[in-house]
Amino acid sequence: MTVPAALGGQLLVARPRLDDPNFHRAVVLLLDHGDEGAFGVVLNRPVPVEVDVVLPEWQDAVTPPSVLFQGGPVGLDGAIGVVTAPPGAVLPPTVDRLVGPFSLVDLDSDPADLAGLVTGIRVFAGHSGWGAGQLEGEIEEGSWFVVPAEASDAVTDDPTTLWRRVLRRQGGDLAIVSTFAEDARLN
């Protein structure tokens, strides 16, 4: 399998046999990918902690469910704000547009500055990261499906079913994979 040069804005969907507990049935939004490595957040790992426990000013601004999400195993003591915005939207300087509809927001800023400008906001504790060539190796060995992301994936109101829904919408063999049992040994 040839790995595309830049995967920013794509989804990594864990193959059923990926048994690393950090990424079992994970859907990762790649926010950056290049020669130096890759950076993203796991979209389907809500944590039973309300956003207001760590960032009270953001509680009413985030897209439901209004909980923190575990973005990955790296930097769990830090928070990352991901926003979705329509193409061409003029965003304040506290927002760093990355790729397509996906941007990072400075969580020290005022969430009111985003009112009416973004279509969704999610807060992640930690992130997923890969060093130079590491992600490409994992894709080559068959750990991940790489599929297009939709803006709604980042802020879905039903994150626990995202793995199945993303695979199902691809059609063909991936739609069949979406029906696999949680424990791959049962397939």
Side-chain angles (χ1 to χ4, degrees):
M1 166 187 261
T2 302
V3 178
L7 299 174
Q10 300 286 312
L11 295 177
L12 297 176
V13 181
R15 290 184 180 239
R17 68 174 178 248
L18 180 60
D19 58 3
D20 177 335
N22 293 305
F23 296 110
H24 177 70
R25 293 212 173 192
V27 178
V28 178
L29 172 62
L30 282 177
L31 295 167
D32 188 38
H33 175 249
D35 293 337
E36 308 225 350
F39 162 80
V41 289
V42 178
L43 300 176
N44 58 335
R45 295 284 194 276
V47 178
V49 175
E50 295 289 321
V51 169
D52 69 354
V53 170
V54 292
L55 294 164
E57 63 280 5
W58 286 91
Q59 181 67 32
D60 293 334
V62 296
T63 305
S66 303
V67 297
L68 292 173
F69 282 69
Q70 185 173 346
V74 181
L76 291 172
D77 57 342
I80 296 169
V82 174
V83 299
T84 56
V90 178
L91 300 172
T94 57
V95 177
D96 183 17
R97 194 175 284 274
L98 298 177
V99 59
F102 308 111
S103 302
L104 294 180
V105 63
D106 179 352
L107 292 172
D108 289 327
S109 65
D110 185 351
D113 294 343
L114 300 178
L117 300 176
V118 300
T119 55
I121 303 171
R122 181 120 311 144
V123 177
F124 296 89
H127 65 277
S128 302
W130 294 266
Q134 184 181 4
L135 177 59
E136 293 81 356
E138 291 180 14
I139 293 170
E140 291 278 341
E141 73 184 16
S143 295
W144 301 100
F145 297 114
V146 180
V147 302
E150 296 178 0
S152 60
D153 295 332
V155 292
T156 179
D157 61 352
D158 189 8
T160 59
T161 64
L162 188 61
W163 185 86
R164 288 188 189 281
R165 286 185 290 121
V166 167
L167 289 174
R168 191 171 300 124
R169 77 174 182 236
Q170 305 311 309
D173 290 343
L174 294 184
I176 294 169
V177 171
S178 77
T179 66
F180 285 12
E182 181 79 23
D183 183 343
R185 296 172 297 181
L186 300 176
N187 291 321

